[in-house]
Amino acid sequence: MLIISSVNTLKTRIFALIFGLILNAFGNSLTIISASGSGIWTAAAVNMNEIFGIEVGTLIFILGVINAITNQILIGRIDVFRFIEEIIFITCFSYFINIFTSIFRAWGWADTSIWIRIPMAIIGVMCFCTAISLYQRANIFMHPNDDTSNILRFKFLKGSAIKSQLLDMTPPIIIIILCAIKLGHVDSIGIGTIFSVACNGILIEAADKWIFPKLKHNKNINQELAEHNSKK
């Protein structure tokens, strides 16, 4: 992404990107292992896994590629570097998802009491919402799905993280419904999912304000144009 306006040093933004990437994978892995409800996109991947037998991390990668293509449509032009950056992110993200879930299973976390796994799911959601806030503010490159919500947020929804998150959740909800029709049941939907759907936008906006507050939203060319147009 071509950065034309910056308020943080590149070193700070790279740190936020890397930490956010790892924290996002960590949080999503907690929700998967908890079996008490994953984030909505992760839940879609878990249910697709039941049908296709493909690893959750691989399905997350496939959905990420689809999101990356969608972003090209939303910005209204072909941005090859943006696409490549998002594929790099989702590749690393999927890799860390598989690593963390394997570690947590080996530690026996999947077999703990429901009273431990429910807080685990909620903590997982809080972790990945904080991660999204960090690398969206760094705005070097990010998870394709989070770039989708970022584009929606600043180009179409006047900066509302809550509205952009709710709109972005429509495709995975449709996927889950279709999987439920096929399977006759739904996996990875629970308290964590409800908490994620209800609170993702709120948690991201709270993290923007309270977690590493010196990290500001570093704008790219699309955000500059969107803000300019909204003031007309």
Side-chain angles (χ1 to χ4, degrees):
M1 300 178 195
L2 176 62
I3 303 299
I4 61 175
S5 170
S6 180
V7 293
N8 292 109
T9 65
L10 183 59
K11 182 179 179 180
T12 297
R13 293 166 61 202
I14 290 174
F15 171 79
L17 167 63
I18 295 172
F19 182 70
L21 164 62
I22 296 172
L23 184 62
N24 194 353
F26 176 85
N28 271 282
S29 298
L30 280 180
T31 66
I32 293 170
I33 290 298
S34 75
S36 300
S38 303
I40 197 71
W41 279 98
T42 304
V46 170
N47 282 277
M48 290 172 70
N49 164 264
E50 286 287 302
I51 294 175
F52 301 109
I54 302 171
E55 280 191 350
V56 172
T58 303
L59 287 166
I60 288 173
F61 174 80
I62 294 170
L63 291 172
V65 172
I66 295 171
N67 278 135
I69 295 171
T70 301
N71 294 340
Q72 300 289 301
I73 297 170
L74 289 175
I75 64 176
R77 60 190 175 85
I78 301 299
D79 187 335
V80 176
F81 288 108
R82 187 185 200 126
F83 182 82
I84 293 172
E85 289 164 353
E86 291 180 355
I87 297 304
I88 292 172
F89 188 102
I90 194 64
T91 300
C92 296
F93 177 71
S94 303
Y95 177 72
F96 281 120
I97 284 274
N98 287 333
I99 288 178
F100 281 128
T101 53
S102 295
I103 291 172
F104 296 159
R105 283 196 180 97
W107 287 350
W109 288 11
D111 302 318
T112 55
S113 162
I114 187 66
W115 302 111
I116 294 176
R117 287 187 285 111
I118 288 175
M120 189 186 302
I122 292 173
I123 291 170
V125 172
M126 295 174 70
C127 284
F128 69 66
C129 286
T130 300
I132 292 169
S133 167
L134 289 172
Y135 57 68
Q136 280 188 338
R137 279 181 282 160
N139 202 14
I140 299 174
F141 57 92
M142 62 189 78
H143 190 294
N145 179 55
D146 296 322
D147 192 27
T148 303
S149 63
N150 211 34
I151 294 167
L152 293 172
R153 177 179 181 179
F154 289 103
K155 190 174 182 180
F156 301 104
L157 299 173
K158 299 181 179 180
S160 173
I162 296 173
K163 291 179 181 178
S164 67
Q165 286 293 313
L166 290 174
L167 182 58
D168 186 57
M169 289 176 182
T170 302
I173 289 173
I174 293 172
I175 291 172
I176 290 169
I177 291 171
L178 293 175
C179 288
I181 294 172
K182 173 70 174 177
L183 295 168
H185 66 272
V186 178
D187 290 327
S188 210
I189 298 292
I191 291 175
T193 313
I194 296 170
F195 180 67
S196 176
V197 171
C199 299
N200 262 27
I202 297 169
L203 289 170
I204 291 169
E205 287 192 345
D208 287 349
K209 183 177 180 180
W210 299 108
I211 307 298
F212 198 8
K214 291 184 179 180
L215 178 67
K216 306 301 180 181
H217 277 284
N218 295 270
K219 299 171 187 176
N220 63 28
I221 208 168
N222 293 308
Q223 291 171 333
E224 293 279 3
L225 291 173
E227 290 181 4
H228 174 72
N229 291 334
S230 68
K231 293 176 183 178
K232 289 183 177 180

